[in-house]
Amino acid sequence: MKPQLGEVVLGAMLGAVDEGIHAVDIHGCTIFYNAAAARIDGLGQEEVVDCHVLDVFPSLTPGTSTLLQVIRTGEPVTDQQQSFTNFKGRRVTTINTTLPLWVEGELVGALEISKDITRLEGMVERITSLQALVSSSPRGTRASSLARYTLNDLVGNTDSIRAVKERVQRICTTSSPVLIVGQTGTGKELVAQSLHSEGPRARAPFIAQNCAAVPETLLESTLMGTVRGAFTGARDAPGLFELADGGTLYLDELDSMPLNMQAKLLRVVEEGFISRLGEAKQRPVAVRLVASLGDEAQIMVEAGKLRQDLYYRLNVVTVTLPPLRQRRDDIPLLIDHFMHQHARRLQRSPLVVSAEVLAACLAYDWPGNVRELEHLVEGWLHLVEGKVECQHLPTWGRRQSSSECGRSDLRTVLAATERNLIENALAMHDHNVSQAAAYLGVPRQTLQYRLRVLRTKRREVGAQRPKTGG
């Protein structure tokens, strides 16, 4: 009998999707197996169709196979991790959603949709093993800590950066949790490592984990660890909390952590115990938790990305890092720091940066913050010979007006610096001149005078520009 058009269309659709689709009949024999499933499992479709699940995947059992489990119970299984070995010896780890197939009230089989996480699971295991190896070095040796940065690496002399350094120095000796808030590229991990390096935990492990880099299904096992039998293929393995015992655990992008996992994290912070995935036993951990957010915590709470109770527990001390555009006076210091740092690494001489380039850098808003500036300086060392000029800047730098990138005298650079400092101070204080003057450390009358001078210069520049149009 010729297949109906609907059957052809459905088969084509299931064959084209990226997820693995595997359907079996009531006896566990494969009746549909798409190309994506074959790719994930490392098999040919012809090697699976019409074969029993346990013949193709001998490491599974009637109790551990999600397909056979659904046939046995008639109940769906959602987002379950499964590790297995095919008959060729290849180990595969997937996340499966398995559904019962009913026809007129009779259970006739099961259909499984799977995503391949084999490489990701392997990466997480390798990272965890490496951290365990490092952490097992004898206590008292610097090799036992993964922290590379101290407060000396937090370059800057503006009031905002001095305030950050002073706060870190005051709290580094405590064990209270710390919340670091700052845009991407402002140096949140640098501050986290400084908290660790400057305190009594300096010779204990420092473990860092970006919460956005691990999928929800692996995050709990990554943090809490696993015991054999917790899921198919699970092994006895410590999580990051155990690896950081006695030291510091830094969780970056905390707002990307699922809310149910945040509840478990809160319990660990409050009680000081963890339970590995698949066990009831509680294990004590003495870990200082440092977490970071890319935006104000209250905004994250209101957006439903951060549990309010977790926020209250972590908000013992908050360190807020300013974006680079709010600390422009530090730009020359940062350029010099990164120039010498990367020049040593690349074994070449530091470059001279022209006043035009410096003026353009002072005028730029730096959406990528300090990280963007560091990468720019590193690029110069790879590509520039001699002096860094305007043509060595990205597009944003070459677009600067002639007043920024056309003259190389010191007066131009100082004027650009002054203008940016004043504009930034006014923006930070809603254009309140008195508050901006206090922030800049000058009398109100002085700031008013400098504003009049800047307005006059703007009018002069505007009058000198050629008029266009009719």
Side-chain angles (χ1 to χ4, degrees):
M1 184 174 68
K2 293 181 65 175
Q4 297 296 315
L5 178 60
E7 295 177 1
V8 174
V9 172
L10 179 61
M13 290 174 60
L14 293 177
V17 296
D18 291 333
E19 288 78 13
I21 307 292
H22 188 174
V24 298
D25 62 19
I26 194 65
H27 305 293
C29 292
T30 300
I31 56 176
F32 184 85
Y33 188 72
N34 72 347
R39 184 177 66 251
I40 292 170
D41 297 338
L43 299 169
Q45 290 174 276
E46 71 284 353
E47 296 176 301
V48 181
V49 175
D50 295 330
C51 295
H52 195 275
V53 170
L54 299 185
D55 291 335
V56 179
F57 306 106
S59 67
L60 295 176
T61 67
T64 58
S65 166
T66 46
L67 282 166
L68 298 183
Q69 176 186 339
V70 169
I71 289 174
R72 186 174 65 255
T73 64
E75 298 293 331
V77 173
T78 304
D79 290 336
Q80 180 166 317
Q81 182 173 327
Q82 186 175 56
S83 296
F84 52 88
T85 303
N86 64 27
F87 71 89
K88 294 182 178 180
R90 174 175 171 176
R91 186 172 184 270
V92 181
T93 302
T94 57
I95 297 294
N96 302 334
T97 291
T98 314
L99 307 171
L101 297 177
W102 300 90
V103 175
E104 297 180 354
E106 181 183 356
L107 183 64
V108 297
L111 181 142
E112 187 164 86
I113 305 168
S114 59
K115 292 180 179 289
D116 184 17
I117 61 168
T118 306
R119 292 180 62 189
L120 184 58
E121 185 203 35
M123 178 187 71
V124 171
E125 287 183 353
R126 286 194 296 272
I127 292 173
T128 304
S129 298
L130 177 61
Q131 290 171 329
L133 178 63
V134 173
S135 300
S136 65
S137 301
R139 291 287 178 99
T141 65
R142 188 63 186 172
S144 67
S145 175
L146 295 178
R148 296 180 294 129
Y149 298 113
T150 67
L151 278 179
N152 291 331
D153 297 296
L154 189 58
V155 177
N157 198 35
T158 53
D159 289 344
S160 57
I161 289 301
R162 286 204 299 267
V164 169
K165 291 181 179 180
E166 290 171 4
R167 177 162 287 207
V168 170
Q169 287 176 329
R170 290 177 67 90
I171 63 177
C172 64
T173 57
T174 73
S175 58
S176 298
V178 177
L179 196 59
I180 304 174
V181 179
Q183 296 177 3
T184 298
T186 51
K188 296 189 290 294
E189 182 162 352
L190 192 155
V191 170
Q193 292 197 22
S194 297
L195 280 165
H196 179 84
S197 301
E198 301 290 334
R201 301 170 185 264
R203 297 188 180 277
F206 175 88
I207 305 294
Q209 178 63 56
N210 186 308
C211 297
V214 182
E216 179 178 353
T217 50
L218 289 179
L219 189 56
E220 182 175 0
S221 59
T222 300
L223 293 175
M224 307 300 181
T226 57
V227 293
R228 188 180 303 276
F231 51 84
T232 305
R235 291 167 284 183
D236 289 322
L240 298 186
F241 267 103
E242 288 182 73
L243 295 179
D245 192 26
T248 303
L249 176 61
Y250 170 54
L251 299 179
D252 190 16
E253 297 191 54
L254 181 66
D255 50 291
S256 66
M257 179 182 288
L259 294 178
N260 65 325
M261 190 63 219
Q262 289 184 28
K264 296 176 182 178
L265 175 64
L266 174 62
R267 176 169 293 182
V268 175
V269 176
E270 290 182 333
E271 300 178 358
F273 290 89
I274 63 100
S275 292
R276 290 186 183 181
L277 190 63
E279 76 171 355
K281 174 184 175 182
Q282 289 194 320
R283 301 169 184 261
V285 287
V287 174
R288 183 181 202 174
L289 183 66
V290 180
S292 69
L293 300 170
D295 207 339
E296 292 296 335
Q298 195 57 49
I299 295 175
M300 295 298 185
V301 170
E302 292 171 359
K305 296 182 178 180
L306 180 66
R307 289 179 61 102
Q308 193 169 46
D309 50 3
L310 179 60
Y311 163 56
Y312 289 147
R313 185 64 187 87
L314 296 181
N315 193 34
V316 177
V317 179
T318 298
V319 178
T320 302
L321 290 173
L324 186 54
R325 63 180 176 276
Q326 291 182 7
R327 45 178 291 221
R328 295 179 194 267
D329 273 6
D330 288 333
I331 289 175
L333 294 174
L334 288 164
I335 290 176
D336 182 71
H337 171 75
F338 292 135
M339 184 69 73
H340 284 82
Q341 180 186 75
H342 290 292
R344 284 194 300 272
R345 181 176 61 82
L346 297 172
Q347 297 184 330
R348 63 164 301 177
S349 299
L351 301 169
V352 175
V353 179
S354 70
E356 301 100 315
V357 169
L358 182 56
C361 289
L362 289 167
Y364 181 51
D365 273 345
W366 299 103
N369 294 296
V370 178
R371 183 183 294 128
E372 183 182 2
L373 177 60
E374 179 180 5
H375 291 168
L376 177 65
V377 174
E378 184 180 1
W380 288 339
L381 286 163
H382 283 289
L383 302 173
V384 177
E385 293 294 337
K387 193 174 186 180
V388 181
E389 302 285 2
C390 281
Q391 64 266 27
H392 302 128
L393 286 168
T395 306
W396 58 258
R398 297 194 295 272
R399 287 176 178 170
Q400 296 293 339
S401 66
S402 59
S403 65
E404 303 292 350
C405 207
R407 297 193 297 268
S408 60
D409 56 285
L410 179 62
R411 185 177 301 173
T412 300
V413 177
L414 293 176
T417 303
E418 180 192 39
R419 184 179 69 251
N420 285 309
L421 284 173
I422 291 175
E423 290 178 348
N424 180 60
L426 288 170
M428 289 175 63
H429 297 91
D430 295 325
H431 293 274
N432 184 303
V433 176
S434 297
Q435 292 179 8
Y439 175 78
L440 293 169
V442 299
R444 184 175 185 274
Q445 295 83 352
T446 300
L447 180 55
Q448 287 178 320
Y449 170 74
R450 297 310 304 167
L451 284 170
R452 287 196 296 272
V453 171
L454 290 174
R455 293 189 190 106
T456 300
K457 288 182 178 179
R458 282 201 184 97
R459 285 196 295 269
E460 291 173 352
V461 170
Q464 293 170 4
R465 288 175 181 165
K467 295 182 178 181
T468 59

